[in-house]
Amino acid sequence: RIGGDEFVLIAENADIPTAVRIAARLGRVLSEPLELSGHAYSVGASIGIAFYPADGDRSEDLIRRTDIAMYQAKSGGGGYRLYQPEMGEQLEKRLMLAKRLQQALETGKLQLFYQPQVSLETGRIIGAEALLRWFDADLGWISPSEFIPVAESRGMMVPLGDWVLREACRQVGEWQKAGMRLDGRVAINVSALQ
């Protein structure tokens, strides 16, 4: 046991089929309901698999790579994953995006774009939708489909949502001060976490 609910299993001389059989059996056994005090409980497992020496020749490297594969399994709903080098690259990219997104949030580098909502009957603007956009000086425009999942997985959705709400309200106030009237409402997407 290396901490909390994380365990390491070492299977000497195991090849891929053997490791997969072990992982599948562990998953099957752990998914069987346990009865405690008259209540049935189920436990799931997310299992990462790495091989010596192909995935690392030091224990620290192997543990780190099994951890990466385990997080891939967890994000896919459980089961097992074999470590692949690109998994580390994806994780590094996500960590880098999370760090840059946090900095962008703290330094005011995020933007809201306002997409008009138009009545099909009259052709008049009846509101707007505030859309969060992010331009990074080094990476360029980063799609919400790329940074929103990172924000969700890193616990950043509430502060991000708070920023969007404050900024949209500030912008509507600026429009009013300038004598511009927006008929209707400004719609804002709110995370279920918020």
Side-chain angles (χ1 to χ4, degrees):
R1 179 175 181 219
I2 59 172
D5 61 352
E6 294 187 3
F7 298 84
V8 171
L9 179 117
I10 299 170
E12 290 187 44
N13 302 318
D15 57 6
I16 291 175
T18 303
V20 166
R21 279 195 306 276
I22 292 169
R25 183 170 181 215
L26 282 170
R28 233 182 1 263
V29 168
L30 289 172
S31 68
E32 293 175 6
L34 302 168
E35 191 168 318
L36 297 171
S37 303
H39 299 285
Y41 298 93
S42 294
V43 178
S46 298
I47 301 169
I49 301 170
F51 294 93
Y52 170 86
D55 298 324
D57 56 3
R58 298 179 325 146
S59 60
E60 298 85 19
D61 293 335
L62 286 168
I63 289 172
R64 185 166 46 85
R65 290 180 177 140
T66 56
D67 207 34
I68 289 169
M70 184 267 300
Y71 277 106
Q72 288 286 316
K74 187 179 279 191
S75 70
Y80 64 87
R81 296 288 186 282
L82 301 173
Y83 174 78
Q84 301 294 319
E86 58 271 11
M87 288 177 176
E89 293 165 13
Q90 292 168 357
L91 181 62
E92 289 295 324
K93 183 178 182 184
R94 287 177 64 87
L95 292 173
M96 179 270 301
L97 277 178
K99 181 179 177 183
R100 286 179 170 249
L101 180 59
Q102 184 65 45
Q103 291 169 344
L105 179 60
E106 291 170 358
T107 59
K109 302 289 186 195
L110 299 173
Q111 302 174 48
L112 288 183
F113 286 17
Y114 297 89
Q115 179 173 301
Q117 295 176 332
V118 178
S119 167
L120 294 177
E121 291 177 16
T122 65
R124 293 183 52 208
I125 293 176
I126 57 171
E129 181 178 6
L131 302 171
L132 181 61
R133 297 295 180 257
W134 176 27
F135 180 82
D136 182 271
D138 296 324
L139 303 173
W141 288 104
I142 301 168
S143 169
S145 65
E146 198 172 352
F147 72 79
I148 294 296
V150 170
E152 288 172 338
S153 69
R154 304 290 293 180
M156 298 171 62
M157 285 308 293
V158 171
L160 206 54
D162 288 346
W163 181 87
V164 169
L165 288 167
R166 279 193 313 275
E167 180 60 20
C169 290
R170 186 200 64 74
Q171 183 61 62
V172 169
E174 290 293 319
W175 288 334
Q176 288 175 345
K177 285 180 193 172
M180 299 168 63
R181 183 164 184 258
L182 175 68
D183 290 332
R185 299 182 172 134
V186 174
I188 298 170
N189 295 313
V190 179
S191 167
L193 297 171
Q194 192 169 21

